[in-house]
Amino acid sequence: MESLLFFVSFYSKYYSERKGFRMIEWSEDTIEKFQATLLDWYDHHKRILPWRQDHDPYHIWVSEIMLQQTQVQTVIPYYLNFMKQFPTVQALAEADEGSLMKAWEGLGYYSRARNLQRAAKQIVNDYHGNWPTTVSGLKELSGIGPYTAGAIASIAFNQPVAAIDGNAFRVFSRLLEIDDDVAKPQTRKIFETVVNQIISKDRPGDFNQAIMDLGASYMTATNYDTNQSPVKAFNQSYRDGIEDQFPVKTKKKRPVPHDYFGIVLHSDNNYLFEKRPTTGILANFWMFPLFDQQGLIKDKSDSEGILINRAENEIHDEYQLPVHLHKVNAKPITHTFTHQQWHITLLEGTLSFDSDLSYFPGKWIETANFHTIAFSKVQQKMWATYEKAVKSK
DNA sequence: GACACGTGGTT
DNA sequence: TAACCAAGTGT
């Protein structure tokens, strides 16, 4: 009874003043029926996934980090390989950074991998291999925020706590017609409070995972099939025919365009790579040097030939390297990140292998060694475009 | 609290 | 195609 009172009082406190809000109230009986219906469906239809074979916190943790902003189908092969290479938290703590990044190559959001290892070292060195089991304890670890802490605490340690991810936002906003903007950080509190009241106290981990499976099947963002959903009877927005209004989410900004020259300098099978800065996008990655074309433009009417000439001059002035460059690709390579869109025109030139590289922040890498190094997708695109152009000659 | 941070897939 | 989505976190 206490939980029901809390549930209702929560809503009256946070919602009653809001204009136009119509509260959907669930009785304790409804909550119990929802749990039973959801968990029964989960028992019969849950996805079989590599990280669902046991409740080992290491397995749950690695999978949850990989799954951040990443689809299950993408994660599966990375997860399997990662567990082969780094089977325990101790192995991960001791891994060299190069092989760690190689194991993460192509997954994106690479700070996840670095935070993963930082947390592994925290567990091994500071906690003597013992995992924190509570949300607040887990959040002390690098890379673990409110969602992942809730997921690990509930799945690995059976703590009755919410794990609010994109699925939970979508599912519960539709079930309860919650119209708060899920893009706003403060909205998380509302969902956490609601789900902490509804979550199964006996099987919290299964409850959270069931919501995710629901959000990935009958309650997807688009092309959802609510009529087949096991919990459609509990779905108020469906009953009202307004499910397309949920979740409420403000628009994201468009990626900002950047035009670059990608500089391909080589000596036989050796290519000159620049090490990117330690912060910012694609931090620490080896990449062909990029020149922002904006920085080369003096007048709007500058031709591309003039810009290429200025790029040559900059390479000579900054790196003390004499180069003659020619254009490789007619159409720029396009690569879109969350907040940036890159258009890259490749410029090729040759360089003597014994050139003085002391003014250049990088090194030669032989093609034979490419497979040992982690490259970003945009670098892989540059290489593929270059190779294709060379072969067609 | 707004923004940075990767990549692949869908519409 | 531009826009949006996919098991978010750090600053």
Side-chain angles (χ1 to χ4, degrees):
Chain A
M1 195 58 197
E2 197 183 333
S3 77
L4 172 63
L5 288 174
F6 187 86
F7 190 51
V8 171
S9 68
F10 169 80
Y11 268 112
S12 56
K13 181 174 174 194
Y14 284 87
Y15 287 131
S16 60
E17 311 151 8
R18 275 211 348 250
K19 212 160 113 184
F21 180 79
R22 192 162 50 78
M23 175 46 202
I24 309 301
E25 290 176 17
W26 279 11
S27 65
E28 282 217 335
D29 185 51
T30 302
I31 291 173
E32 275 177 30
K33 287 199 170 92
F34 176 77
Q35 292 173 357
T37 305
L38 178 70
L39 289 169
D40 182 65
W41 171 75
Y42 184 71
D43 287 337
H44 291 96
H45 302 288
K46 68 178 173 190
R47 290 174 289 180
I48 306 300
L49 300 169
W51 46 88
R52 283 184 176 174
Q53 292 179 4
D54 56 49
H55 289 180
D56 184 327
Y58 180 65
H59 297 162
I60 306 302
W61 172 50
V62 172
S63 70
E64 290 299 342
I65 301 297
M66 287 186 171
L67 285 161
Q68 290 169 5
Q69 303 290 283
T70 311
Q71 298 191 132
V72 166
Q73 152 189 330
T74 304
V75 165
I76 289 173
Y78 282 92
Y79 175 84
L80 293 172
N81 175 64
F82 199 92
M83 284 306 156
K84 247 185 231 171
Q85 273 195 64
F86 315 112
T88 62
V89 66
Q90 286 80 11
L92 175 56
E94 294 163 7
D96 72 271
E97 196 188 333
S99 50
L100 176 64
M101 294 316 292
K102 190 68 186 172
W104 208 270
E105 180 185 42
L107 252 192
Y109 285 153
Y110 297 97
S111 64
R112 288 186 295 175
R114 300 198 172 94
N115 285 330
L116 201 63
Q117 189 176 41
R118 197 171 304 147
K121 289 177 176 172
Q122 285 177 272
I123 292 164
V124 170
N125 300 327
D126 302 349
Y127 301 159
H128 307 292
N130 298 312
W131 279 84
T133 61
T134 62
V135 165
S136 61
L138 288 160
K139 278 168 71 176
E140 296 300 309
L141 298 168
S142 294
I144 296 186
Y147 161 73
T148 306
I152 298 173
S154 63
I155 298 169
F157 300 116
N158 213 36
Q159 302 284 314
V161 291
I164 307 300
D165 67 339
N167 288 303
F169 277 129
R170 190 169 57 255
V171 168
F172 287 106
S173 69
R174 288 181 186 161
L175 294 182
L176 299 168
E177 295 187 352
I178 300 172
D179 62 356
D180 297 76
D181 183 356
V182 302
K184 296 212 176 307
Q186 60 200 29
T187 303
R188 168 179 300 278
K189 292 195 220 81
I190 291 163
F191 280 76
E192 279 177 349
T193 307
V194 169
V195 176
N196 279 334
Q197 296 308 121
I198 299 178
I199 194 170
S200 165
K201 307 301 181 287
D202 300 322
R203 302 175 57 190
D206 287 345
F207 181 97
N208 283 332
Q209 292 181 92
I211 295 297
M212 296 182 213
D213 280 16
L214 200 54
S217 57
Y218 300 114
M219 296 185 72
T220 49
T222 57
N223 293 336
Y224 40 86
D225 188 6
T226 307
N227 192 43
Q228 301 297 314
S229 160
V231 296
K232 71 169 176 180
F234 300 85
N235 190 329
Q236 191 61 41
S237 71
Y238 175 67
R239 290 153 62 116
D240 293 341
I242 54 171
E243 56 184 333
D244 61 337
Q245 295 177 23
F246 300 92
V248 174
K249 190 189 286 190
T250 49
K251 310 269 188 221
K252 288 173 182 168
K253 294 198 311 187
R254 294 179 45 168
V256 178
H258 291 277
D259 295 324
Y260 287 111
F261 286 133
I263 313 297
V264 186
L265 293 174
H266 60 105
S267 171
D268 296 323
N269 286 330
N270 295 282
Y271 286 80
L272 203 52
F273 281 84
E274 184 173 24
K275 191 168 177 108
R276 293 184 58 82
T278 53
T279 57
I281 197 162
L282 301 175
N284 297 322
F285 274 81
W286 292 102
M287 194 175 293
F288 289 153
L290 297 179
F291 275 79
D292 193 331
Q293 294 185 30
Q294 199 60 44
L296 300 171
I297 295 174
K298 290 181 182 168
D299 189 285
K300 263 191 190 170
S301 60
D302 286 342
S303 69
E304 191 173 58
I306 288 178
L307 297 185
I308 292 172
N309 222 267
R310 291 197 185 125
E312 289 171 340
N313 290 339
E314 283 219 14
I315 289 166
H316 186 266
D317 295 347
E318 284 182 37
Y319 304 146
Q320 302 286 307
L321 298 173
V323 293
H324 178 66
L325 301 171
H326 63 268
K327 192 168 154 179
V328 174
N329 52 327
K331 271 192 213 165
I333 300 160
T334 297
H335 190 82
T336 308
F337 303 94
T338 312
H339 293 286
Q340 296 182 32
Q341 183 165 59
W342 289 5
H343 303 284
I344 305 173
T345 301
L346 294 178
L347 305 179
E348 181 194 14
T350 57
L351 202 58
S352 166
F353 186 70
D354 50 23
S355 298
D356 179 7
L357 296 182
S358 50
Y359 292 90
F360 178 77
K363 63 176 183 182
W364 294 110
I365 302 179
E366 255 191 284
T367 52
N369 291 329
F370 280 6
H371 71 283
T372 65
I373 297 171
F375 292 116
S376 65
K377 283 294 166 181
V378 65
Q379 172 58 39
Q380 293 177 29
K381 277 188 196 175
M382 285 195 282
W383 178 251
T385 302
Y386 168 78
E387 263 211 313
K388 195 177 166 189
V390 168
K391 275 181 188 162
S392 71
K393 267 199 277 192

